[in-house]
Amino acid sequence: PDMHQEVIDAMMTEPDARLFLHTGDLVSDGESADQWLQFFAIEEPLMRTLPGYMVVGNHEEYLGGADLFEEFFAPPRNSPQELFYSFDYGNVHFLAVDQHVHAHLLAECILEYDLWVQYCLTLEQRSWIEADLAAAAANAEIDHIIVNTHVGPFSSKVGRSGSQPMRRLLPALHAAGATLLLSGHDHYYYEHGVAAHGLHYIITAGGGAPLYDVGAPSLQPHEVVYNESIRHYLVIDVDGRTLTITAKTPDGMVLESFEIERVDECTVDADCANKPPPPNCGPEVSCSVAGRCAFECVVEGAGNPFEEPEPEPEPDAAGDEPDAGPTDDAEVEADIA
């Protein structure tokens, strides 16, 4: 709690903030009312000042639900379920993905969708996300799509490889013109990288939980630009088609600051003729409504030759209780076993 307090105190010094996001695992035990009281006592000054948009983490999920999370928060209700949603602010479309309540394990993925994957989003959520992305891509007033979820597509924690559902969403996110993907779950750090499709991702999970060590990146195709095990928060400035992302420690040190400019790749299919396909993708390519070269990619099922073997899982942190529900691919495999 004292580390959490330091981060919130530092965030309160940012003069121009309009809203804030949280990448999940707000508390250690989502069924503990006392922990929620402690959380709100720390974040009250921030919440009195700004609207906050949260995603549910594995520590909030319990027996397939997140009852207290849903009781305490009122996100935008533009989807069939409360825990996945989207909203617009200025020229930015924000998409929140729920990987813990509206999700299935291996047996359900096989029986219901014939998907031989260890972890999959419900058909309801996947269908809604596809429609939401299509609408945002077609909206001329939207320059950026920022995705917020708990488990990111990649990880540099020993024993983790990231989220299969998010890796399978990468082609659709790229085609829709997504600019940035934010996640938490790996409580060590700030990590900035670039997926094979060119989408920038950030793991931002240094808000108060015990810190992990940084390990080797998972084998999934991506590039790690910067990572460090340290408490921090992000400031994202929006100026037209340019995002400036700055990672700061509570004492004001800047870990990294970089720009992402939304640039259209194409206007017609012919513009994509000489663009090489990313991993998992075939040569068929077209220009999407968002101005991105969209390839036909292998995104589902066990036939994907690019999926790496899953490593053995590790607990969330030394001394932590086991997670109430599945977190990333390796942990789901252990749950099924």
Side-chain angles (χ1 to χ4, degrees), residues 139-152:
N139 187 345
E141 296 183 357
I142 296 298
D143 292 320
H144 304 282
I145 298 175
I146 296 178
V147 182
N148 188 21
T149 191
H150 184 56
V151 187

Side-chain angles (χ1 to χ4, degrees), residues 53-200:
Y53 298 87
M54 324 293 183
V55 292
V56 67
N58 56 288
H59 282 268
E60 283 82 55
E61 185 270 340
Y62 181 72
L63 298 178
D67 295 344
L68 291 183
F69 184 97
E70 293 192 62
E71 179 179 340
F72 294 144
F73 297 103
R77 292 185 177 270
N78 64 338
S79 73
Q81 303 291 338
E82 186 174 349
L83 297 182
F84 55 90
Y85 59 89
S86 66
F87 66 97
D88 296 337
Y89 190 91
N91 61 337
V92 183
H93 182 75
F94 293 89
L95 170 63
V97 179
D98 166 30
Q99 296 184 64
H100 298 286
V101 176
H102 299 96
H104 294 312
L105 299 184
L106 175 63
E108 292 169 298
C109 296
I110 296 172
L111 291 174
E112 294 192 30
Y113 312 121
D114 195 26
L115 299 177
W116 288 77
V117 293
Q118 296 172 347
Y119 192 28
C120 60
L121 303 180
T122 61
L123 180 60
E124 180 182 51
Q125 183 175 187
R126 286 169 49 218
S127 299
W128 180 83
I129 288 174
E130 291 172 3
D132 183 80
L133 287 173
N139 187 345
E141 296 183 357
I142 296 298
D143 292 320
H144 304 282
I145 298 175
I146 296 178
V147 182
N148 188 21
T149 191
H150 184 56
V151 187
F154 313 110
S155 177
S156 297
K157 182 185 185 297
V158 175
R160 289 184 177 172
S161 60
S163 162
Q164 286 180 331
M166 295 314 299
R167 290 196 294 272
R168 293 196 298 275
L169 273 179
L170 289 176
L173 294 175
H174 173 77
T179 310
L180 179 64
L181 189 153
L182 302 172
S183 67
H185 189 52
D186 290 330
H187 309 154
Y188 50 116
Y189 62 53
Y190 169 72
E191 176 171 303
H192 165 219
V194 184
H197 289 78
L199 178 63
H200 288 256

